[in-house]
């Protein structure tokens, strides 16, 4: 929808006037602002010119002479905002009592409109009201600031949430604080790291990720909370070197084996058969049909120009033919294939790309999790979440190797993952008999070092992952009112060999070890089985 004001049709009726002073009580209004819900606000150009450079510029242009689109012979301007927003905004411009804006929910639309219409004083006043809520609702303020691209406000909200007075400013060159020191500081913060507000659901996972990084002290260099994750990560890690184009093979080089040309964005020719492509894709069928007019290639064949790269088209076109599935080398290749396959509605290509994404769970589980969540791939989402929950620090979600998928995924997906991992860690700790104070539970939510305490090595991590996967699989096939029964003998260390100098003692020791492990693993398995993702 066009966000700029427009002149309505004269046939559109006015339903009701705005409240005083926007009801033209004295008959001196010279323009009408009509809200999206049909309320007419009778206002004065002189005041709007002073309050808004946007309207000052509009009123400097020649005004329409025709009476079409006018109400009471006044020029009427349709705007996108509703009655409450416009009423509050205009009261900030007029010499009347300022509106009451008690919550972030009330403030955000007014602030957005003030910014949109270049109302500097109104923007300042509403921003002050927003900042007044920092100590009560820092996450709501942060979410609103991200949605409105207000960097300084987002920073202040992040600082309040982190319990710091601004020592870790965006431009700070202060050295990173050690984990041990940060842990002792975090225990005194007003807001636990796992605090969350539903207003955060509407920001991106990248914006939530940057907030948590800032709070944990992992963002010492300058960052923008609402900028793209890719730009943020370049501040934390060196930019990887560009890789050279990879050579690829495809069977579409022979001009005698095709009756149409598909041209890539780099003008590479692919000779293919119309009928096969048309059967595979209704979208390509329409493009092929339109190519008969003015789309000739060099060999007097019709040509269709597609914006995809050579490598993407080479794989995509093979999946339109009755050929074996081509190799998808990287997740970037799978990403490009999935985008193209979805665009052209090629079902087989979508499935092949999805299978490659599933394989990527063991390479880049966080990236797969975000993509799978966004596309509603529940199986891939759950498996990736489990991989992340039991991964070690170098592959953890607090590692700065997060990809741009975060900016395309809502924050509640990352929240869901963090809560799941926190519950897994808590279940393991409680099974081991650990008593967890509130601050420790919070650290299990985000602290990348917490897994080192609960899961001391990679072998233990893989072991617990397999136990959880087994328990989850059993719960998935459980019928209604059926009791869950887990057989954990397959996980027991039967390979333990007792000393051979005393067979009876050795056997007793072996049985004791096995029974102890059976009890421990059983307790963990049943505890993890209760955790729903």
């Amino acid at each position: 929808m066009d966000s700029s004001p427009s002149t309505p049709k004269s046939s559109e009726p006015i339903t009701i006037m705005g409240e005083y002073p926007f009801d033209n009580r004295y008959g001196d209004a010279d323009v009408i602002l009509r809200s999206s819900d049909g309320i007419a606000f009778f206002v004065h150009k002189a005041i709007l010119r002073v309050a808004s450079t946007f309207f000052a510029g509009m009123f400097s242009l020649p005004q329409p002479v025709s009476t079409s689109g006018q109400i009471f012979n006044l020029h009427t301007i349709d705007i996108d905002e509703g009655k409450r927003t416009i009423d509050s905004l205009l009261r900030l411009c007029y010499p009347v009592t300022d509106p009451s804006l008690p919550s972030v929910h009330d403030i955000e639309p007014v602030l957005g409109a003030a910014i949109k219409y270049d109302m500097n004083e109104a923007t300042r006043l509403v921003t002050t009201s927003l900042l007044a809520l920092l100590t009560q609702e820092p996450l709501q303020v942060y979410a609103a600031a991200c949605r409105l691209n207000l960097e300084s406000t987002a920073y202040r909200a992040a600082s309040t949430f982190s319990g710091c007075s601004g020592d870790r400013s965006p431009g700070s060159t202060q050295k990173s604080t050690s984990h041990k020191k940060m842990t002792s500081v975090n225990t005194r913060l007003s807001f636990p790291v796992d605090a969350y507000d539903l207003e955060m659901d509407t920001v991106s996972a990248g914006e939530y990720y940057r907030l948590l990084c800032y709070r944990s002290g992992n963002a010492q260099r300058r960052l923008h909370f609402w900028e793209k994750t890719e730009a943020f990560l370049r501040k934390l890690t060196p930019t990887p070197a560009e890789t050279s184009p990879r050579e690829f093979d495809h069977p579409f080089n022979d001009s005698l084996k095709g009756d149409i040309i598909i041209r890539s964005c780099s003008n590479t020719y692919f000779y293919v058969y119309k009928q096969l492509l048309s059967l595979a894709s209704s979208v390509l069928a329409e493009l092929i049909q339109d190519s008969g007019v003015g789309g000739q290639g060099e060999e007097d064949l019709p040509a269709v120009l597609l914006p995809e790269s050579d490598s993407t088209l080479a794989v995509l076109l093979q999946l339109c033919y009755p050929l074996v599935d081509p190799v998808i080398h990287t997740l970037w290749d799978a990403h490009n294939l999935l985008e193209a396959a979805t665009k052209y509605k090629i079902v087989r290509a979508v499935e092949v790309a999805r299978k490659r994404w599933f394989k990527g769970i063991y390479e880049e589980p966080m990236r797969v999790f975000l993509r799978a969540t966004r596309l509603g791939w529940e199986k891939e989402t759950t498996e990736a979440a489990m991989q992340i929950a039991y991964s070690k620090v170098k592959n953890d979600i607090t590692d700065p190797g997060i990809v741009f998928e975060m900016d395309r995924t809502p924050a509640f997906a990352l929240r869901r993952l963090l809560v799941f991992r926190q519950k897994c860690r808590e279940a393991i700790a409680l099974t081991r008999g650990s008593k967890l104070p509130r601050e420790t539970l919070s650290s299990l939510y985000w602290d990348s070092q917490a897994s080192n305490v609960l899961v001391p090595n990679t072998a233990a991590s893989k072991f617990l992952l397999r136990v959880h996967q087994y328990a989850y699989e059993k719960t998935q096939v459980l019928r209604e009112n059926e009791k869950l029964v887990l057989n954990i003998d397959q996980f027991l260390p039967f390979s333990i060999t007792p000393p051979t100098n005393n067979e009876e003692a050795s056997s007793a020791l072996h049985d004791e070890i096995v029974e102890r492990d059976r009890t421990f693993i059983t307790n963990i398995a049943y505890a993890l089985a209760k955790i729903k993702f």
Side-chain angles (χ1 to χ4, degrees), residues 5 49 62 130 185 209 304 433 521:
R49 281 194 184 97
L130 182 64
V185 172
Y209 170 79
V304 176
I521 298 171

Side-chain angles (χ1 to χ4, degrees), residues 56 211 228 317 323 430 456 493:
L211 173 65
K228 295 298 183 183
L317 294 175
L323 302 171
L430 293 176

Side-chain angles (χ1 to χ4, degrees), residues 382-383 386 465-491 521-522 524-532:
T382 302
E383 181 61 29
M386 286 194 178
L465 171 61
R466 183 66 194 99
V467 171
H468 197 165
Q469 288 173 330
Y470 165 73
Y472 173 77
E473 291 166 2
K474 286 295 184 180
T475 60
Q476 292 302 104
V477 297
L478 202 64
R479 292 189 292 269
E480 187 176 359
N481 298 324
E482 183 181 1
K483 184 178 180 181
L484 178 65
V485 178
L486 300 177
N487 178 15
I488 49 79
D489 283 346
Q490 59 183 301
F491 299 107
I521 298 171
T522 299
I524 285 184
Y526 278 102
L528 294 176
K530 296 177 182 178
I531 300 174
K532 307 299 181 184

Side-chain angles (χ1 to χ4, degrees), residues 156-188:
R156 292 187 62 176
S159 296
T160 302
F161 177 67
S162 303
C164 61
S165 58
D167 295 337
R168 288 186 282 123
S169 63
S172 173
T173 57
Q174 176 183 344
K175 293 183 179 180
S176 299
T177 311
S178 68
H179 166 70
K180 183 176 181 181
K181 184 176 180 181
M182 279 303 300
T183 301
S184 64
V185 172
N186 284 347
T187 59
R188 299 194 298 270

Side-chain angles (χ1 to χ4, degrees), residues 248 262-268 270 284 287 304-317 335-344 346:
F248 54 90
I262 298 295
R263 291 169 51 197
S264 70
C265 61
S266 57
N267 206 36
T268 298
F270 296 85
L284 289 178
L287 293 175
V304 176
L305 175 62
L306 299 181
E308 283 72 30
S309 66
D310 297 354
S311 57
T312 299
L313 286 179
V315 175
L316 185 71
L317 294 175
H335 164 80
N336 293 331
L337 175 61
L338 183 60
E339 294 289 316
T342 304
K343 173 182 175 181
Y344 298 117
I346 303 175

Side-chain angles (χ1 to χ4, degrees), residues 378-394:
E378 195 59 34
K379 178 181 178 181
E380 290 85 348
T381 300
T382 302
E383 181 61 29
M386 286 194 178
Q387 290 289 333
I388 295 168
Y390 295 97
S391 63
K392 299 307 295 176
V393 175
K394 65 178 182 179

Side-chain angles (χ1 to χ4, degrees), residues 215-463:
R215 190 190 185 286
S216 62
N218 292 337
Q220 300 299 331
R221 304 182 191 180
R222 183 169 183 82
L223 62 91
H224 293 288
F225 289 101
W226 54 268
E227 73 181 344
K228 295 298 183 183
T229 303
E230 295 156 294
F232 167 65
L233 293 177
R234 283 196 292 271
K235 295 177 172 61
L236 298 180
T237 56
T239 303
E242 294 293 332
T243 57
S244 57
R246 185 174 62 252
E247 294 184 1
F248 54 90
D249 297 322
H250 63 82
F252 309 114
N253 293 313
D254 191 346
S255 61
L256 299 178
K257 295 181 179 179
D259 53 13
I260 192 171
I261 297 171
I262 298 295
R263 291 169 51 197
S264 70
C265 61
S266 57
N267 206 36
T268 298
Y269 280 27
F270 296 85
Y271 300 94
V272 293
Y273 288 106
K274 298 178 184 178
Q275 189 171 6
L276 289 175
L277 265 60
S278 298
L279 289 173
S281 166
S282 59
V283 177
L284 289 178
E286 293 181 7
L287 293 175
I288 289 171
Q289 185 176 2
D290 295 339
S291 68
V293 182
Q296 296 298 314
E298 293 181 359
E299 287 82 7
D300 292 328
L301 295 176
V304 176
L305 175 62
L306 299 181
E308 283 72 30
S309 66
D310 297 354
S311 57
T312 299
L313 286 179
V315 175
L316 185 71
L317 294 175
Q318 288 182 68
L319 291 169
C320 295
Y321 274 59
L323 302 171
V324 296
D325 291 348
V327 176
I328 314 298
H329 294 278
T330 69
L331 281 183
W332 280 114
D333 294 333
H335 164 80
N336 293 331
L337 175 61
L338 183 60
E339 294 289 316
T342 304
K343 173 182 175 181
Y344 298 117
K345 299 181 180 179
I346 303 175
V347 176
R348 181 188 172 197
V350 170
E351 290 303 314
V352 169
R354 180 172 179 174
K355 289 178 182 178
R356 180 60 182 87
W357 274 98
F358 187 78
K359 289 176 60 178
I361 288 173
Y362 309 102
E363 306 164 16
E364 300 180 57
M366 185 62 186
R367 183 176 180 184
V368 175
F369 171 81
L370 293 167
R371 171 60 67 98
T373 298
R374 196 167 68 253
L375 296 179
W377 296 347
E378 195 59 34
K379 178 181 178 181
E380 290 85 348
T381 300
T382 302
E383 181 61 29
M386 286 194 178
Q387 290 289 333
I388 295 168
Y390 295 97
S391 63
K392 299 307 295 176
V393 175
K394 65 178 182 179
N395 295 319
D396 206 6
I397 54 179
T398 52
D399 189 278
I402 305 301
V403 293
F404 79 113
E405 297 286 346
M406 278 195 162
D407 293 312
R408 294 157 175 81
T409 308
F412 68 77
L414 180 57
R415 166 68 176 182
R416 182 188 180 195
L417 173 64
L418 292 172
V419 169
F420 174 72
R421 185 180 70 169
Q422 182 184 35
K423 289 181 178 179
C424 293
R425 290 175 167 181
E426 182 182 355
I428 295 170
L430 293 176
T431 303
R432 294 174 60 180
S434 304
K435 293 183 179 180
L436 302 177
R438 179 66 183 88
E439 57 269 20
T440 303
L441 284 175
S442 295
S443 70
L444 296 180
Y445 180 77
W446 177 251
D447 189 353
S448 63
Q449 303 291 334
S451 60
N452 286 341
V453 178
L454 299 175
V455 187
N457 53 60
T458 302
S461 175
K462 291 181 178 179
F463 174 79

Side-chain angles (χ1 to χ4, degrees), residues 86-159:
I86 293 304
D87 183 83
S88 297
L89 183 64
L90 291 175
R91 289 183 187 279
L92 292 168
C93 302
Y94 272 67
V96 295
T97 304
D98 287 346
S100 174
L101 301 172
S103 69
V104 175
H105 180 74
D106 296 317
I107 292 172
E108 184 177 352
V110 179
L111 181 54
I115 295 171
K116 172 182 174 181
Y117 296 119
D118 293 330
M119 296 179 172
N120 293 333
E121 180 61 14
T123 298
R124 185 189 68 80
L125 292 172
V126 184
T127 300
T128 300
S129 298
L130 182 64
L131 293 175
L133 299 174
L134 272 176
T135 55
Q136 291 81 32
E137 302 291 350
L139 289 176
Q140 289 190 21
V141 174
Y142 178 80
C146 287
R147 287 190 290 266
L148 296 173
N149 293 351
L150 301 176
E151 173 59 24
S152 62
T153 303
Y155 164 65
R156 292 187 62 176
S159 296

